[in-house]
Amino acid sequence: MGEEDVGLFVTVEESKVRRVAYKIFAVSILVGIGMIWSYRVCNIPRTGEAGRWVWLGLFTAELWFGFYWIITQSVRWNIVHRYTTTFFKDTPSLSRNREKLPDVDIFVCTADPVMEPPQLVINTVLSLMAYDYPPEKLTVYLSDDGCSDLTFYALLEASHFSKHWIPFCNKFKVEPRSPEAFFTEMLKFNGHASGEEWFAIKRLYEDMKKRVMSATELGRVPEEVREQHKGFSEWNAGVTKGDHQTILQIVIDGRDPNAVDVEGASLPTLVYLAREKRPQYPHNFKAGAMNALIRVSSEISKGEIILNVDCDMYSNNSETLRDVLCFFMDEVNGPQISYVQFPQNYYNVTENDIYCNTNKVVNQLELAGVDGYGGALYCGTGCFHRREALCGRKYSSECRGQQNRKIERKEERSIGEVAEKCKVLANCTYERGTQWGKEMGLMYGCPVEDIITGLAIQCRGWKPIYYNPERPGFLGNAPTSLLQHLVQFKRWSEGMFQIFLSKYCPFLYGKGRIKLGLQMGYCVYCLWAANSFPTLYYVLVPSLCFLNGISMFPKMSSIWFLPFAYVFVAKNVYSLVEALRCKNTLEEWWNLQRMLLIRRTTSFVFGFVDTIVRQLGFSQTAFVITTKVVDDEASKRYKQGILEFGASSPMFTILATIALFNLFALVGGVIKMMVMGMGVLVVEQFSSQIIIAGLVVAINIPVYEAMFIRKDKGRMPTSTTITSLVFALLLCLTPLY
Ligand SMILES: *[C@@H]1O[C@H](CO)[C@@H](O)[C@H](O)[C@H]1NC(C)=O
Ligand SMILES: *[C@@H]1O[C@H](CO)[C@@H](O)[C@H](O)[C@H]1NC(C)=O
């Protein structure tokens, strides 16, 4: 096989039948939506008639849903899947091409030794150091924005342990290569390692874990350890998290002939960096840390490929690195590829995935649909970058052909000199008057800087890739309580909506630079927050009207009932089919519907309000997550698939109010109809509203349980239940005009 003229990856579209079928379906829905709109326009109650204003409100909500639905077509219209060849995976062709393999820099970012325990961080680092890749071409950087000597200490321990761990992994083809995950999974392991070696390495790991954990609990590094490594001298009395000099330590110098593992093989380089922080300079959060890493690494290792991973996300596949090279090294399409983004997967999801942390439909179809228009959303973790694209270079066809050009390493200088020089690059003042944070590196000034950065890279002409291999490349730690989950979604929806309102709005910024489908694809997520109020309206007002005896939908026997019924049923059946196709269960789909409703009526509402309030120049609502540490009871409930409330939060009040109000409206409305002795005719008139209220009630059954039945600590706090009861009753009494 001529290696050079064969593509290294393939792009597969959905089958033709499926694409055509989808398009017919989409058009039929569009017709339905059009008819719903015309029904609303033609039947507006006259001035003075009951329900005129609520009618107009409902029409506005339906206009919005129709518009949003059109936007979401972009992520279904043109789905593509990417598959790599085994070119860099099978050993013979790998060894023949060893020279060609690019240098790779891996950036791991951590920000806080309490929220992100050092023990977790080093497991991530170890899993990445153990990539099946020539160690002399691999450099792992840990950026510690917490500037914690505990994290540095843990990294030192990890560097010692890696000398045993990496050869062990290579010898026994261990997967996954995060020791914690490996030894947890190994309970059900039937063993290719000999028992003796296995126990030896396990003991080493347990010992290290014990030392790291006890130092973390103590909150300081033992004195005798501090004396052994001169690196600790940097943490003198003046150093605090927000005010310190740059600390740069080369923990393992891969070029040093003495830095070898127990089998005598060389090791990847390992670098610790805490960039300078001073109270008077904005540090720009993770984007600032990434930019400092980009500059520092450009002096130390200058890898052509940069992998960026969050510290709670370990590698689940030691071949991932070689696998993605198929994209970057492809002769034809490779040179234009700026980054390869992996989906977010979690090791920590339970059977029914109660919070829908892994949204399989989004991962398998929607993001692949964005890719169909030549784009991928850069999510800030699990992403391989081409250094020059990340550094702000525009794509031009002249770049082609240069891809195998090796960037000269500055071998002649000693590592000490290099490190000394690099420190300046991580100083607060370095970026002043430069394009860093604007045209170069990650962009500043937005909570979801990754997404904007990705968009900007695409607008410079690059084509990223979304890659969702069968076996997940990275596994993260999913939020295990409802509030954590909702606050996370609030932050995302807020950041995305902020992008929409800024000059980086995909429709403006991307105009003429990226395809319309891609602009729309971005807006599916940018407009999450805007769904909040229409949804809130839809789950409250029709029920309220029902209670007040005002009909808002066509009668069942009317011809106008058809488009409503069709759009509703067809959309839901389609989403169910799609979910089943992505290997969700029926129950998972039902859970997802609940979570979608909850997110829209809580996270997105606050995300929307905060964004608007900020645009107007006021300060925003503050959310404090009280319980970050999950206790045993709570984690047991999580495993059993029970929703976790427990704390009081305005989000839960909204949630409970909606649930209670719909229950009251349903019961109250039905009683009222019976008392008045109304016949089939009237029932027919209110069927749609009864169905809406009924569905909201059905989907909220776990919420009622949490309020009235459960006795555990994760139940709805009594104060929230009472407040919501009051709100729900007040809503019932609201008069309508
Ligand atoms: C991680 O990779 C292993 C293969 O080594 C695979 O069996 C497993 O399903 C992956 N984990 C998850 C959570 O997908
Ligand atoms: C999820 O992760 C947390 C923290 O790492 C852990 O305490 C919990 O047991 C995990 N849960 C599951 C279901 O794996």
Side-chain angles (χ1 to χ4, degrees):
M1 188 172 73
E3 280 165 0
E4 299 310 318
D5 48 67
V6 167
L8 295 180
F9 71 95
V10 285
T11 304
V12 179
E13 292 188 338
E14 298 254 281
S15 73
K16 188 143 193 214
V17 176
R18 207 172 244 163
R19 276 184 298 150
V20 171
Y22 185 77
K23 283 175 191 178
I24 293 172
F25 167 77
V27 169
S28 75
I29 295 266
L30 187 63
V31 171
I33 290 174
M35 285 166 76
I36 291 175
W37 286 346
S38 12
Y39 170 78
R40 289 282 175 225
V41 173
C42 298
N43 293 283
I44 301 175
R46 276 182 298 279
T47 326
E49 223 175 300
R52 181 176 163 88
W53 287 107
V54 286
W55 184 283
L56 290 174
L58 210 56
F59 179 38
T60 313
E62 281 160 358
L63 269 179
W64 169 258
F65 288 139
F67 170 72
Y68 188 72
W69 179 83
I70 293 172
I71 298 262
T72 59
Q73 291 320 294
S74 60
V75 294
R76 297 267 171 341
W77 210 244
N78 200 9
I79 296 172
V80 298
H81 302 280
R82 313 278 192 174
Y83 300 96
T84 54
T85 59
T86 55
F87 185 74
F88 289 108
K89 278 189 260 180
D90 44 74
T91 328
S93 73
L94 181 71
S95 46
R96 241 176 300 136
N97 288 286
R98 199 178 164 99
E99 276 309 300
K100 270 202 221 160
L101 294 180
D103 290 351
V104 177
D105 292 347
I106 300 178
F107 296 173
V108 179
C109 298
T110 177
D112 188 306
V114 178
M115 303 283 251
E116 299 162 343
Q119 164 66 13
L120 180 82
V121 176
I122 57 173
N123 266 289
T124 301
V125 168
L126 283 166
S127 77
L128 298 165
M129 284 175 77
Y131 263 144
D132 194 353
Y133 202 72
E136 69 276 10
K137 290 172 185 281
L138 198 60
T139 310
V140 180
Y141 293 84
L142 177 67
S143 159
D144 180 17
D145 263 4
C147 190
S148 159
D149 53 351
L150 291 169
T151 306
F152 177 62
Y153 165 60
L155 197 67
L156 277 183
E157 286 281 359
S159 75
H160 300 315
F161 179 65
S162 70
K163 296 181 181 169
H164 302 269
W165 179 243
I166 295 177
F168 177 78
C169 289
N170 288 334
K171 192 163 166 196
F172 298 109
K173 303 269 169 274
V174 163
E175 294 292 345
R177 297 194 172 184
S178 144
E180 182 71 35
F182 175 71
F183 290 119
T184 310
E185 279 179 27
M186 268 325 101
L187 298 173
K188 41 191 191 232
F189 176 69
N190 42 20
H192 20 238
S194 80
E196 208 175 309
E197 276 167 307
W198 191 76
F199 280 113
I201 193 91
K202 188 169 159 77
R203 199 169 53 241
L204 275 179
Y205 176 67
E206 297 294 341
D207 288 350
M208 172 185 76
K209 184 174 169 180
K210 217 178 285 161
R211 288 195 296 274
V212 170
M213 299 280 261
S214 78
T216 311
E217 260 159 48
L218 267 175
R220 62 185 162 77
V221 180
E223 210 45 55
E224 65 274 17
V225 178
R226 291 185 72 105
E227 279 157 14
Q228 277 165 21
H229 198 284
K230 63 177 175 17
F232 287 107
S233 62
E234 298 265 10
W235 279 270
N236 50 34
V239 170
T240 63
K241 183 178 172 183
D243 192 2
H244 60 84
Q245 76 287 10
T246 297
I247 301 177
L248 178 67
Q249 308 268 353
I250 314 265
V251 180
I252 300 177
D253 175 11
R255 278 184 267 156
D256 179 354
N258 297 322
V260 286
D261 64 28
V262 287
E263 312 255 289
S266 54
L267 286 164
T269 302
L270 181 63
V271 179
Y272 173 92
L273 172 71
R275 65 195 164 115
E276 186 188 22
K277 284 221 191 125
R278 300 293 175 205
Q280 66 272 32
Y281 291 100
H283 56 76
N284 294 306
F285 306 94
K286 195 173 131 194
M290 282 286 291
N291 286 345
L293 278 174
I294 294 173
R295 293 191 297 268
V296 166
S297 65
S298 72
E299 286 299 320
I300 294 178
S301 49
K302 209 155 193 170
E304 264 175 83
I305 306 293
I306 292 173
L307 163 63
N308 157 217
V309 204
D310 275 351
C311 66
D312 63 352
M313 219 174 200
Y314 66 82
S315 150
N316 192 45
N317 183 351
S318 62
E319 291 189 335
T320 300
L321 189 46
R322 287 190 279 146
D323 200 16
V324 296
L325 288 184
C326 290
F327 295 109
F328 290 111
M329 309 281 281
D330 185 85
E331 288 280 317
V332 182
N333 298 306
Q336 201 176 0
I337 291 171
S338 49
Y339 59 84
V340 178
Q341 172 71 54
F342 281 65
Q344 309 254 21
N345 283 305
Y346 303 99
Y347 58 87
N348 217 353
V349 288
T350 50
E351 201 173 331
N352 286 319
D353 198 4
I354 185 86
Y355 301 124
C356 304
N357 284 310
T358 306
N359 195 332
K360 292 183 187 161
V361 173
V362 172
N363 282 356
Q364 291 179 27
L365 300 179
E366 289 195 3
L367 294 173
V370 177
D371 197 12
Y373 286 106
L377 275 69
Y378 167 39
C379 302
T381 179
C383 188
F384 292 84
H385 290 271
R386 188 185 290 281
R387 179 183 286 268
E388 50 180 351
L390 193 55
C391 284
R393 178 158 177 180
K394 277 204 179 72
Y395 173 76
S396 68
S397 42
E398 282 113 67
C399 305
R400 283 174 171 275
Q402 298 181 3
Q403 59 161 326
N404 290 334
R405 168 188 50 106
K406 291 285 290 176
I407 304 168
E408 277 304 308
R409 272 219 212 176
K410 297 175 176 139
E411 301 279 355
E412 67 285 355
R413 285 183 298 166
S414 84
I415 201 88
E417 280 171 10
V418 175
E420 233 11 79
K421 167 139 195 272
C422 290
K423 282 189 179 178
V424 185
L425 301 176
N427 282 355
C428 292
T429 48
Y430 185 84
E431 293 184 349
R432 235 184 342 198
T434 67
Q435 286 300 312
W436 285 100
K438 295 182 210 117
E439 293 291 316
M440 294 168 79
L442 273 85
M443 317 259 268
Y444 294 155
C446 173
V448 288
E449 68 276 338
D450 330 306
I451 301 283
I452 293 203
T453 305
L455 178 65
I457 290 174
Q458 282 162 70
C459 288
R460 290 197 292 262
W462 298 90
K463 290 257 182 296
I465 294 268
Y466 171 73
Y467 182 45
N468 182 20
E470 188 118 345
R471 176 165 149 200
F474 304 95
L475 295 175
N477 189 2
T480 55
S481 93
L482 182 59
L483 195 56
Q484 277 175 19
H485 180 91
L486 293 180
V487 170
Q488 189 181 58
F489 266 87
K490 181 206 166 239
R491 204 173 50 234
W492 284 338
S493 68
E494 185 180 348
M496 297 296 281
F497 192 46
Q498 237 170 291
I499 296 180
F500 186 79
L501 298 179
S502 73
K503 67 173 175 180
Y504 294 108
C505 171
F507 286 130
L508 303 177
Y509 189 66
K511 194 158 174 267
R513 305 198 225 186
I514 53 176
K515 289 185 186 154
L516 181 64
L518 185 52
Q519 296 168 25
M520 285 163 70
Y522 266 98
C523 287
V524 170
Y525 307 99
C526 288
L527 290 173
W528 263 353
N531 278 307
S532 54
F533 281 94
T535 307
L536 213 47
Y537 194 90
Y538 229 86
V539 294
L540 290 178
V541 174
S543 303
L544 185 58
C545 291
F546 174 51
L547 200 57
N548 283 277
I550 302 171
S551 169
M552 300 304 293
F553 291 89
K555 280 199 276 248
M556 238 168 161
S557 55
S558 152
I559 185 90
W560 287 109
F561 182 75
L562 283 179
F564 282 94
Y566 175 72
V567 170
F568 178 77
V569 173
K571 260 199 71 174
N572 282 301
V573 168
Y574 175 77
S575 97
L576 177 61
V577 169
E578 202 176 54
L580 295 178
R581 184 187 156 200
C582 294
K583 302 204 177 68
N584 273 319
T585 60
L586 189 63
E587 189 173 346
E588 281 169 349
W589 176 77
W590 183 244
N591 287 342
L592 177 63
Q593 303 311 305
R594 179 184 311 116
M595 283 316 297
L596 289 179
L597 182 67
I598 295 181
R599 283 175 202 161
R600 282 181 167 203
T601 51
T602 57
S603 309
F604 295 177
V605 168
F606 286 101
F608 185 86
V609 170
D610 275 358
T611 310
I612 299 296
V613 164
R614 188 204 311 254
Q615 295 275 328
L616 299 175
F618 299 101
S619 67
Q620 319 121 50
T621 58
F623 276 93
V624 202
I625 307 191
T626 40
T627 49
K628 181 78 190 179
V629 187
V630 190
D631 63 43
D632 284 350
E633 290 282 300
S635 105
K636 204 160 121 203
R637 286 192 290 273
Y638 172 66
K639 280 178 198 152
Q640 291 169 339
I642 300 175
L643 288 179
E644 182 75 18
F645 296 93
S648 52
S649 155
M651 296 218 195
F652 292 163
T653 311
I654 300 187
L655 183 76
T657 305
I658 292 173
L660 287 173
F661 171 69
N662 274 281
L663 185 64
F664 294 163
L666 187 66
V667 174
V670 169
I671 290 177
K672 212 162 138 186
M673 283 201 311
M674 287 196 305
V675 169
M676 291 181 165
M678 292 187 192
V680 183
L681 259 177
V682 181
V683 175
E684 205 198 42
Q685 198 155 35
F686 288 105
S687 54
S688 302
Q689 280 151 278
I690 296 176
I691 290 171
I692 293 178
L695 283 175
V696 174
V697 169
I699 216 164
N700 275 308
I701 287 173
V703 180
Y704 305 123
E705 283 173 3
M707 278 190 279
F708 303 117
I709 297 175
R710 280 166 56 183
K711 294 275 174 286
D712 55 71
K713 272 209 202 115
R715 69 196 297 272
M716 188 75 84
T718 313
S719 60
T720 310
T721 307
I722 294 174
T723 322
S724 317
L725 270 170
V726 173
F727 281 142
L729 287 172
L730 283 177
L731 268 175
C732 290
L733 299 176
T734 312
L736 278 183
Y737 299 103

